[in-house]
Amino acid sequence: MKNDKKISTPVLRRLPKYYRHLEELSRAGVEKISSKELSKLINVTASQIRQDLNCFGGFGQQGYGYNVAGLRDSLAEILGVTKRYTAIIIGVGHLGQALANHNTLSRSGVDLAGLFDISPDVVGSEVAGHTVLNISQANRFCSENHVDIAILTLPKSEASAVANMLAEAGVKGFWNFANTELSVSNKSVSIENVYMGDSLMKLCYDVSAQDL
Amino acid sequence: MKNDKKISTPVLRRLPKYYRHLEELSRAGVEKISSKELSKLINVTASQIRQDLNCFGGFGQQGYGYNVAGLRDSLAEILGVTKRYTAIIIGVGHLGQALANHNTLSRSGVDLAGLFDISPDVVGSEVAGHTVLNISQANRFCSENHVDIAILTLPKSEASAVANMLAEAGVKGFWNFANTELSVSNKSVSIENVYMGDSLMKLCYDVSAQDL
């Protein structure tokens, strides 16, 4: 396998999709699949699939196709799903609660360790098996519990200040739902900004194009 | 402007990002911007930006750059944000409530017309100014209110059956958070599947690569 660091971002963005489909195929009892069959399921061309998977030395065998379980496991390892990450959620509104209770976290290898908010209405309540703590405790909590990832579901105006504080406390990655680009002075942290509106706009475009 | 139908999917996926940044720049009082400056903000190469925006006849002027407000308005029109779409939410859990109360809908030109659930705990409650209705009423509601888009925040197992029912009632687009590919027999509907876990996996990969 080549050095993980060399995987380009576009390839990396497709890997979770491959992984997701291979997981489903495997659960459905499928043992092998050709790049052509996978292509139909995934809506990526067969040659693109072969090229992407070749980045890792290639798992396919000509005339046989891919071993579903084997490829799934290799991708899990590459993506780091087999490792465990510790995460906290900052902002326990509806979105924070949705993510806390969603199996997306555990399926990605992420363990929720705590939730934080500033509102007295929420602090002290139980969410997903955790007592919501005051955000003033987040810093110390992160240092003590070696938190890897902070999930930010808090208002845009607070996001960068909170992220900077948490980065100081050792948080390495931010999954950011605050609808703003985070500005974090520690440049070595990883940031994934989620803009849900982007896919809604794409859908609106497609819907309006139906009438043309 | 060329025929909207010819815009390729990769270009189309970048347009909401351009639009989002231009909106922010415009709010900040910025009047013009070069493709090079835009490139730094957006993390897309300047030549890619010029190429993308050329698809629509080009809005830039050499040596001047783009007129921020003008480009924002042109993109709004292309994306159909200036039109209004009527939407319902199916599944009023935390994620459904988060989306109902989020300004993502209105910023994309989408008006929420109703919410539906199957649980007696939720049906009859007030969410985002609407009384949650029983899902058995969704079909008639969509026909009578010309609903364009259904936002699916319901369990995976129900998603395709509900989508098929709604497509029969005239719904043209599905924003699908059920973590499964929708199978809808009416092939002319538009579907945008959202897999939030994909971006979390990408983040986990980046975090683990920090240690390499």
Side-chain angles (χ1 to χ4, degrees), chain A residues 162-212:
Chain A
V162 169
N164 271 296
M165 180 186 85
L166 298 175
E168 289 284 313
V171 173
K172 296 172 192 164
F174 294 92
W175 199 25
N176 173 31
F177 289 83
N179 270 310
T180 186
E181 310 263 322
L182 284 187
S183 155
V184 180
S185 51
N186 179 343
K187 297 300 177 203
S188 68
V189 301
S190 306
I191 298 172
E192 193 69 20
N193 297 306
V194 182
Y195 292 97
M196 298 206 289
D198 286 6
S199 73
L200 180 58
M201 280 192 198
K202 165 73 166 59
L203 178 63
C204 289
Y205 175 85
D206 288 341
V207 165
S208 69
Q210 287 176 21
D211 302 329
L212 296 181

Side-chain angles (χ1 to χ4, degrees), chain A residues 56-123:
Chain A
F56 323 112
F59 308 103
Q61 226 177 313
Q62 193 135 29
Y64 172 86
Y66 296 103
N67 174 311
V68 170
L71 183 52
R72 176 204 60 194
D73 292 345
S74 302
L75 289 180
E77 201 182 318
I78 291 164
L79 285 166
V81 173
T82 49
K83 299 183 191 169
R84 304 305 302 178
Y85 303 89
T86 301
I88 57 167
I89 292 178
I90 307 275
V92 191
H94 287 300
L95 184 57
Q97 291 188 55
L99 294 170
N101 289 293
H102 205 282
N103 65 4
T104 292
L105 297 188
S106 60
R107 287 182 65 184
S108 305
V110 174
D111 299 315
L112 185 61
L115 298 106
F116 298 84
D117 204 292
I118 200 166
S119 160
D121 296 345
V122 182
V123 173

Side-chain angles (χ1 to χ4, degrees), chain A residues 99-156:
Chain A
L99 294 170
N101 289 293
H102 205 282
N103 65 4
T104 292
L105 297 188
S106 60
R107 287 182 65 184
S108 305
V110 174
D111 299 315
L112 185 61
L115 298 106
F116 298 84
D117 204 292
I118 200 166
S119 160
D121 296 345
V122 182
V123 173
S125 65
E126 287 281 318
V127 173
H130 298 273
T131 302
V132 178
L133 301 175
N134 191 291
I135 201 166
S136 63
Q137 299 173 262
N139 218 330
R140 191 167 160 189
F141 185 95
C142 288
S143 309
E144 288 178 359
N145 293 277
H146 302 287
V147 171
D148 302 303
I149 290 171
I151 302 170
L152 303 180
T153 50
L154 76 179
K156 190 187 281 205

